[in-house]
Amino acid sequence: MRKFVITTVAVAGVALMALSGCSSRGGDTTASGSASGFKKGSVIGVALPDKTSENWVLAGKLFEDGLAAAGYKADVQYAPATNTVPEQQNQITSMTTKGAKVIIIGAKDGSQLGSQVSAAHSSGATVIAYDRLILNTKDVDYYVAYDNEKVGELQGQALLDGMKARYPSAKTYNIELFSGSSDDANAPVFFNGAMKILQPKIDDGTLKVVSGQTDIKQTATAGWLAQNAQTRMDTLLAGNYASTELNGVLSPNDTLARAIITSIKAAGKATPVLPVVTGQDSEAESVKSIMAGEQYSTINKDTRALVKHSIQMVEDLAKGSKPATNSTDYNNGVKVVPTYLLPPVLVTKQNAAESYANDPTLSPLTK
Ligand code: BGC
């Protein structure tokens, strides 16, 4: 079993326990829920977080359409921008009250849904964590996601490869690190995956984090908000790069990557070449930026495939069968959650056309 490696990066206790994959309490991979199946026409709840990234917006629409086409009553809700966590908790409770047979949850804060998923589970609903793991509860039955540790590894490697290509004569590189929102269980998974690749290069002097900010608490971007990343980048540039060249920035997703690039340009640090900035999500604006030679990379985590797989899990459960799982890597602090992982793909200008060939929205942007 591949274990999550906790590097020197300090991770909040809960997340560390949850994601280390080596909890002494782990081992229970039993999923329960609707063992006897359920009928077409049943309510299926889908509780999604805020709309800070395009993938969440797309997922909502695909769940509405896909579940309806499969013959279920879809109840798709988003956590609103204000009062987010309590609102998502209320939405899950309301889905339970409506008798939802499956509740699919993209958690706003994966550590704050314990009582709601417990009530859902007791009422006979199967709880599926979607994209983000739900922590510290035995009542999450399945987890379906792209391999998020791999996402981080691909981002770390892309940063190295991109800088090698953009600065062919350099032997060492100056970089800065960004991570996601600390209430998102995925944020440390991405960051630790990237640091698996980057830390040895920091240790041997190939990479220098000029600000010295390498701890996940220092690199975090509250709420995954672009403005927060832009402000932090402004501060980092003003304080550390007055007469120093910046070569690369680890950005955990596309929304933040574009904010970081905006900051770099405003600070006059985009010439003679723009530093290498990584990303994730294949957002249209970032694909355009990659094709224009600005943002270096993104990750293709095709939302269509993830939603399709989630709906397949609903269909399996409806028949009374256990959905297929392919990973025991995810311990949520209480149990190993039976998981189905899809493979993420790194995308740069070189392979964009090929990567998005079957995507009617993104493919035209690569021509
Ligand atoms: C998702 C990313 C997304 C981020 C911000 C993460 O949990 O896995 O794809 O960029 O949330 O919405």
Side-chain angles (χ1 to χ4, degrees):
M1 176 174 114
R2 192 184 59 180
K3 300 225 189 279
F4 287 103
V5 177
I6 305 301
T7 64
T8 53
V9 176
V11 177
V14 167
L16 188 150
M17 179 72 178
L19 300 162
S20 66
C22 42
S23 160
S24 58
R25 288 180 287 162
D28 173 12
T29 56
T30 326
S32 52
S34 315
S36 54
F38 50 84
K39 294 198 181 66
K40 292 279 173 172
S42 297
V43 174
I44 307 296
V46 181
L48 296 173
D50 39 42
K51 300 182 177 177
T52 49
S53 301
E54 277 173 20
N55 55 343
W56 295 116
V57 180
L58 181 59
K61 170 94 182 86
L62 293 169
F63 271 121
E64 295 264 7
D65 295 351
L67 285 168
Y72 302 101
K73 269 194 213 111
D75 181 10
V76 179
Q77 306 283 341
Y78 281 93
T82 53
N83 211 27
T84 312
V85 172
E87 283 295 326
Q88 187 169 57
Q89 291 170 335
N90 291 341
Q91 288 167 350
I92 293 166
T93 302
S94 144
M95 290 167 187
T96 304
T97 310
K98 286 179 198 160
K101 296 296 182 198
V102 182
I103 303 184
I104 298 168
I105 304 172
K108 172 62 191 167
D109 182 335
S111 66
Q112 294 204 56
L113 297 178
S115 22
Q116 291 72 30
V117 298
S118 167
H121 195 83
S122 308
S123 82
T126 299
V127 176
I128 301 179
Y130 173 88
D131 186 82
R132 300 174 171 179
L133 190 56
I134 299 172
L135 307 177
N136 292 325
T137 167
K138 62 179 176 23
D139 296 307
V140 52
D141 297 294
Y142 296 99
Y143 178 39
V144 60
Y146 278 90
D147 183 340
N148 287 319
E149 193 195 25
K150 180 79 183 165
V151 167
E153 292 170 17
L154 292 171
Q155 290 172 328
Q157 192 58 51
L159 183 62
L160 289 178
D161 294 346
M163 291 191 298
K164 224 171 160 181
R166 250 177 225 190
Y167 305 94
S169 53
K171 297 269 178 297
T172 60
Y173 309 94
N174 296 329
I175 63 164
E176 292 299 334
L177 308 171
F178 281 71
S179 54
S181 189
S182 53
D183 55 7
D184 177 358
N186 280 347
V189 183
F190 299 143
F191 193 67
N192 294 342
M195 290 307 270
K196 244 165 94 173
I197 309 294
L198 300 177
Q199 191 64 53
K201 299 289 179 188
I202 294 173
D203 294 343
D204 74 12
T206 309
L207 301 178
K208 183 171 181 199
V209 181
V210 177
S211 68
Q213 297 183 13
T214 55
D215 185 294
I216 195 167
K217 289 200 195 95
Q218 299 170 304
T219 60
T221 310
W224 286 100
L225 291 176
Q227 187 54 55
N228 292 339
Q230 194 168 328
T231 304
R232 177 165 175 257
M233 192 73 230
D234 290 347
T235 309
L236 289 172
L237 288 168
N240 303 280
Y241 292 90
S243 52
T244 303
E245 185 181 47
L246 172 70
N247 303 119
V249 181
L250 175 76
S251 167
N253 82 357
D254 286 349
T255 311
L256 306 190
R258 297 195 302 278
I260 289 164
I261 291 171
T262 301
S263 168
I264 292 172
K265 285 181 175 173
K269 288 287 180 185
T271 50
V273 275
L274 190 78
V276 170
V277 182
T278 61
Q280 160 173 218
D281 290 338
S282 300
E283 294 199 341
E285 287 309 312
S286 283
V287 172
K288 286 186 206 163
S289 174
I290 289 170
M291 297 316 289
E294 295 201 334
Q295 184 175 325
Y296 177 72
S297 61
T298 185
I299 304 281
N300 193 9
K301 298 198 306 184
D302 191 335
T303 304
R304 296 170 304 169
L306 193 59
V307 170
K308 192 170 166 209
H309 193 84
S310 307
I311 295 175
Q312 181 56 50
M313 291 173 110
V314 171
E315 294 277 47
D316 292 342
L317 291 163
K319 284 187 213 126
S321 331
K322 277 193 172 179
T325 55
N326 62 6
S327 166
T328 50
D329 278 355
Y330 283 82
N331 185 316
N332 77 345
V334 176
K335 72 175 204 181
V336 172
V337 182
T339 296
Y340 191 87
L341 292 179
L342 282 81
V345 177
L346 179 80
V347 182
T348 63
K349 194 174 178 176
Q350 276 66 46
N351 67 345
E354 182 197 335
S355 301
Y356 303 128
N358 76 353
D359 187 319
T361 310
L362 299 179
S363 175
L365 307 179
T366 64
K367 306 261 148 74

